[in-house]
Amino acid sequence: MKLLRYGPPGLERPGLLDAGGAIRDLSGLLADIGPDTLSPAALQALAALDPQRLPMVDGAPRLGTPWRGIGKFVAVGLNYGRHAAEAGMAIPAEPTLFCKWTSCISGPDDDIVIPTGCTRVDWEVELGIVIGSRARAVDEAGALRHVAGYCLANDVSERQYQIDRGGGQWGKGKGFDSFGPLGPYLVTADEVPDPQDLELWLELNGERRQTGHTGDMIFSCARLVSECSRVMTLEPGDVIITGTPAGVGMGARPPRYLEAGDVVTLGGGVLGTQTQRVVAAG
């Protein structure tokens, strides 16, 4: 299934995407898509529905984050070798973890807002792992049993705050408002039999900037869920974004950072696509 939420910010309604690409309304069956919806039993019940019997949503409404109630937004740094090289950093021996503030979360096609005084805002297409059942100190072999599904993410980053002003605190440059687009869908795990077999790409103003494959990750999705679960309890609704392939603006020669008026488009096969317009803070 491809679960989604549609409507104005703060007033989103639950829905799903049918086989023909139409949005079907779920609000007659559940109030919203949240942590309780992501359990294996709840997803099984939703999968048993006939989408053709659900009301069709007219037009092309705004899509919000596909689920609410994200308690932890965990990110992984330097998880592709070529990206580590373009950043001038060593390949880590263990996953590099940091947090994005949940206040940065936005819909997949919402604007990216350049904060006042910031000049080094960058893009990063990533695969997101959505937790469906509590995971605490789980082994790698069983880690993916705790995953409800996957989503597309853009780990928008302000490099000056991340690197020059961070003092090693990457979160300083990662959590500005609008820096966490997620979606358009939460694609349930049954539709992603191998999360290490997904293409990722990103374009800036129609020019390809990133092309990658999750099979090139240094640490697999199963390893990341296991490692995270050893240093925190992962709860339903938590999301882990898994690192970006090469091609970020910081790695270009000369560097190319986002400017007002730019359009960023990114995709990941079954995960769908995002498109964000870049605007200056008002």
Side-chain angles (χ1 to χ4, degrees), residues 45-129:
L46 285 176
L49 297 173
D50 178 2
Q52 301 303 313
R53 298 175 67 90
L54 297 170
M56 184 182 293
V57 177
D58 294 329
R62 170 192 173 269
L63 296 181
T65 304
W67 74 105
R68 60 158 184 81
I70 300 173
K72 290 189 283 297
F73 193 166
V74 183
V76 179
L78 306 176
N79 199 27
Y80 290 78
R82 287 178 56 213
H83 174 55
E86 71 179 352
M89 299 180 183
I91 293 175
E94 295 189 8
T96 299
L97 305 180
F98 60 93
C99 292
K100 289 175 75 80
W101 326 131
T102 55
S103 54
C104 82
I105 295 170
S106 59
D109 301 326
D110 292 346
D111 293 345
I112 294 172
V113 181
I114 297 178
T116 300
C118 292
T119 59
R120 290 161 60 186
V121 177
D122 208 344
W123 58 82
E124 295 190 7
V125 60
E126 305 202 9
L127 168 66
I129 304 170

Side-chain angles (χ1 to χ4, degrees), residues 9-282:
L11 298 173
E12 293 92 346
R13 297 162 66 94
L16 60 80
L17 198 73
D18 70 17
I23 296 175
R24 300 285 178 161
D25 181 53
L26 284 170
S27 61
L29 300 174
L30 65 161
D32 207 344
I33 297 170
D36 292 344
T37 320
L38 305 181
S39 71
L43 291 178
Q44 185 176 14
L46 285 176
L49 297 173
D50 178 2
Q52 301 303 313
R53 298 175 67 90
L54 297 170
M56 184 182 293
V57 177
D58 294 329
R62 170 192 173 269
L63 296 181
T65 304
W67 74 105
R68 60 158 184 81
I70 300 173
K72 290 189 283 297
F73 193 166
V74 183
V76 179
L78 306 176
N79 199 27
Y80 290 78
R82 287 178 56 213
H83 174 55
E86 71 179 352
M89 299 180 183
I91 293 175
E94 295 189 8
T96 299
L97 305 180
F98 60 93
C99 292
K100 289 175 75 80
W101 326 131
T102 55
S103 54
C104 82
I105 295 170
S106 59
D109 301 326
D110 292 346
D111 293 345
I112 294 172
V113 181
I114 297 178
T116 300
C118 292
T119 59
R120 290 161 60 186
V121 177
D122 208 344
W123 58 82
E124 295 190 7
V125 60
E126 305 202 9
L127 168 66
I129 304 170
V130 185
I131 301 300
S133 60
R134 178 176 290 172
R136 180 186 293 126
V138 300
D139 61 22
E140 189 172 339
L144 295 187
R145 289 199 292 267
H146 297 271
V147 173
Y150 303 88
C151 69
L152 189 65
N154 189 355
D155 178 18
V156 184
S157 308
E158 210 294 325
R159 301 302 188 188
Q160 182 183 17
Y161 275 82
Q162 177 192 354
I163 299 170
D164 299 341
R165 301 178 64 172
Q169 304 172 80
W170 283 13
K172 284 186 72 172
K174 298 280 191 170
F176 289 96
D177 289 356
S178 81
F179 277 26
L182 298 174
Y185 322 118
L186 188 165
V187 183
T188 51
D190 59 296
E191 292 201 22
V192 187
D194 183 1
Q196 306 310 140
D197 190 23
L198 294 170
E199 301 283 349
L200 298 175
W201 57 268
L202 182 144
E203 295 178 353
L204 176 64
N205 301 327
E207 178 185 352
R208 183 62 62 94
R209 290 285 181 156
Q210 289 185 278
T211 301
H213 190 276
T214 56
D216 295 330
M217 285 182 183
I218 298 166
F219 304 106
S220 69
C221 291
R223 172 75 182 275
L224 294 176
V225 172
S226 176
E227 291 280 347
C228 288
S229 79
R230 295 181 188 281
V231 296
M232 68 191 82
T233 298
L234 294 171
E235 299 284 0
D238 290 348
V239 62
I240 303 166
I241 58 174
T242 55
T244 195
V248 300
M250 177 178 64
R253 296 294 179 266
R256 166 61 158 100
Y257 296 112
L258 293 175
E259 301 172 351
D262 285 339
V263 176
V264 182
T265 306
L266 52 151
V270 69
L271 304 176
T273 62
Q274 301 181 356
T275 299
Q276 294 116 24
R277 184 171 61 100
V278 181
V279 301

